[in-house]
Amino acid sequence: MTAVDLRSDTVTRPTARMRRAMAEAEVGDDVYGEDPTINRLQELAAEMVGHESALFVPSGTMGNQAALMTHTDRGQEILLEEQSHIFLYEAGGAALLSGCQTRTLPGDKGRLAPEQVREAIRDENMHFPRTGLLCLENTHNRAGGTVLSADMTQNLVEVAHDAGIKVHLDGARVFNAACAQDVDVTKLTAPVDSVQFCLSKGLAAPVGSVIAGSAEFIQECMRARKVLGGAMRQAGVLAAAGVVALQEMTRRLEQDHENASRLAQAVAEMKPFSVDPDDVCTNIVAFDVDPEWFTAPEFLHSLRQRNVLANPVHQQRIRMVTHYQISSEDISDAVEAMHRTIGELK
Ligand SMILES: *Cc1c(COP(=O)(O)O)cnc(C)c1O
């Protein structure tokens, strides 16, 4: 029996059509700009997110870091939500690669308020670092896949732009955000100066992310990607799967959201756990574990014996992620396994 793997949407395997497209991809040396499949992916991606140009990169982390390197100068300060991926999970890249300090702001379920950002932007003063960039995250991973609306995005961008500050969107799962709100993704991506999104999560491609922005910005990002070692050669075999991901996989995210919603409703009924199902609007179900019962690692260790996999966020919090390889029956199986595991550990 294959496991019900709810650890992350990164575990998705490529579809049959992706594998065929990869096998048949026309390729060339992309460092010379001669890979037709990568060029096609980049054109398609730029158009879909409403920007002039786009660049294929090996990972979301490289996409974010290349964008930070391009937008900022050494000694500047980057404004971020305190639980953001760029702050927590990118190995200190902002300091290491861009020479910037990070200033974190507490969000409401991952969402920053415009006034908060306005107050955090530095005045010109010899003693202060200069604010170099505002980063947003949509959907917000640590907050449990919460979404930023088009209006909220617009308002945050306005505050930054009024102060002459650029905005980068970590949109690893921005197609989930668009799908959940039933809006065209450009409503969430066009207002920002740059966006990074992942092909290798819910969209199920095996490798890769895309950065999008102005032609001038993307030209500079190519330098950053080069220095990070991310300029690849006949990587059209990878980009081919990305093209299929963009053409065929953005609409089906709705199924993942339905599965997550069903899972959240079941989890809300389980005594040791607490989650507000109304907070679960995309493919991530994050819930707290009552310490009177057990810790998250204890529970997950036992759940694994029943072939259901998930990751702890910390000692008393669990995250489960739905994706292309999780069916509606898998959710029923996972819920039953969770009930049995709770009974066993009680
Ligand atoms: C996964 C993720 C990334 C990074 O993607 P990798 O391809 O794993 O480097 C960046 N931001 C967010 C919010 C993510 O969830």
Side-chain angles (χ1 to χ4, degrees), residues 32 47 83 123 152 198 200 223 225 253 257 268 336 345:
Y32 293 102
E47 193 195 315
Q83 305 269 12
D123 292 333
M152 288 184 216
C198 293
S200 64
R223 276 188 77 83
R225 183 184 68 173
L253 295 171
H257 300 174
E336 192 187 319
L345 293 177

Side-chain angles (χ1 to χ4, degrees), residues 21-44:
M22 293 171 80
E24 292 167 1
E26 269 188 78
V27 296
D29 190 332
D30 184 50
V31 174
Y32 293 102
E34 290 173 4
D35 189 302
T37 309
I38 292 182
N39 291 339
R40 210 164 124 236
L41 171 66
Q42 292 174 165
E43 280 161 31
L44 177 63

Side-chain angles (χ1 to χ4, degrees), residues 8-10 58-64 84-86 89-90 137-142 170-173 196 198-201 208-209 284 319:
S8 176
D9 45 10
T10 55
S59 72
T61 299
M62 189 185 289
N64 284 335
S84 64
H85 192 282
I86 293 174
Y89 299 126
E90 300 192 7
E137 186 171 313
N138 196 11
T139 68
H140 196 292
N141 179 9
R142 262 291 275 227
D170 179 357
R173 297 185 181 84
Q196 176 281 124
C198 293
L199 298 163
S200 64
K201 290 187 172 163
S209 274
I284 299 175
R319 187 186 81 153

Side-chain angles (χ1 to χ4, degrees), residues 29-336:
D29 190 332
D30 184 50
V31 174
Y32 293 102
E34 290 173 4
D35 189 302
T37 309
I38 292 182
N39 291 339
R40 210 164 124 236
L41 171 66
Q42 292 174 165
E43 280 161 31
L44 177 63
E47 193 195 315
M48 281 178 83
V49 298
H51 282 276
E52 204 175 2
S53 292
L55 187 67
F56 183 54
V57 288
S59 72
T61 299
M62 189 185 289
N64 284 335
Q65 293 302 325
L68 263 50
M69 288 167 73
T70 303
H71 280 308
T72 61
D73 294 323
R74 277 158 44 82
Q76 287 188 330
E77 184 168 76
I78 298 173
L79 299 179
L80 296 151
E81 202 279 330
E82 68 182 4
Q83 305 269 12
S84 64
H85 192 282
I86 293 174
F87 178 63
L88 284 180
Y89 299 126
E90 300 192 7
L96 183 69
L97 303 167
S98 294
C100 286
Q101 70 180 33
T102 45
R103 170 129 171 242
T104 57
L105 309 172
D108 174 19
K109 292 173 183 164
R111 301 176 186 106
L112 295 176
E115 313 79 70
Q116 240 180 329
V117 172
R118 191 178 294 118
E119 276 171 30
I121 293 172
R122 302 282 190 172
D123 292 333
E124 183 60 32
N125 179 317
M126 187 178 75
H127 301 84
F128 299 161
R130 286 185 171 138
T131 307
L133 186 67
L134 168 66
C135 293
L136 305 176
E137 186 171 313
N138 196 11
T139 68
H140 196 292
N141 179 9
R142 262 291 275 227
T146 52
V147 299
L148 261 187
S149 70
D151 281 350
M152 288 184 216
T153 306
Q154 190 67 54
N155 293 342
L156 287 160
V157 169
E158 253 172 52
V159 167
H161 283 181
D162 282 351
I165 288 157
K166 296 251 162 70
V167 182
H168 172 70
L169 172 64
D170 179 357
R173 297 185 181 84
V174 77
F175 284 97
N176 292 83
C179 178
Q181 300 178 89
D182 200 18
V183 296
D184 192 278
V185 74
T186 56
K187 290 268 188 287
L188 310 175
T189 53
V192 298
D193 298 284
S194 61
V195 54
Q196 176 281 124
F197 67 87
C198 293
L199 298 163
S200 64
K201 290 187 172 163
L203 302 184
V207 176
S209 274
V210 172
I211 324 170
S214 70
E216 196 187 350
F217 169 80
I218 291 300
Q219 194 64 38
E220 279 303 299
C221 279
M222 286 174 73
R223 276 188 77 83
R225 183 184 68 173
K226 186 71 189 167
V227 81
L228 296 173
M232 298 179 285
R233 304 293 176 170
Q234 286 75 27
V237 289
L238 303 176
V243 171
V244 177
L246 288 179
Q247 287 172 337
E248 300 182 3
M249 303 300 279
T250 60
R251 298 200 168 273
R252 62 151 304 283
L253 295 171
E254 205 173 334
Q255 286 161 248
D256 299 343
H257 300 174
E258 277 169 27
N259 283 336
S261 171
R262 235 182 87 224
L263 178 61
Q265 280 160 32
V267 169
E269 302 286 310
M270 297 175 192
K271 272 235 175 62
F273 304 136
S274 57
V275 61
D276 182 350
D278 290 341
D279 288 343
V280 178
C281 41
T282 59
N283 68 329
I284 299 175
V285 185
F287 52 95
D288 294 319
V289 181
D290 185 344
E292 303 271 301
W293 287 71
F294 34 65
T295 67
E298 276 163 6
F299 176 77
L300 292 174
H301 179 79
S302 295
L303 190 64
R304 188 178 256 269
Q305 315 308 311
R306 299 187 185 274
N307 253 324
V308 177
L309 312 183
N311 280 332
V313 177
H314 53 70
Q315 273 309 97
Q316 299 304 142
R317 194 167 168 84
I318 290 171
R319 187 186 81 153
M320 294 182 164
V321 186
T322 59
H323 52 77
Y324 183 56
Q325 258 89 43
I326 298 294
S327 66
S328 171
E329 296 85 77
D330 288 332
I331 296 297
S332 305
D333 291 349
V335 167
E336 192 187 319

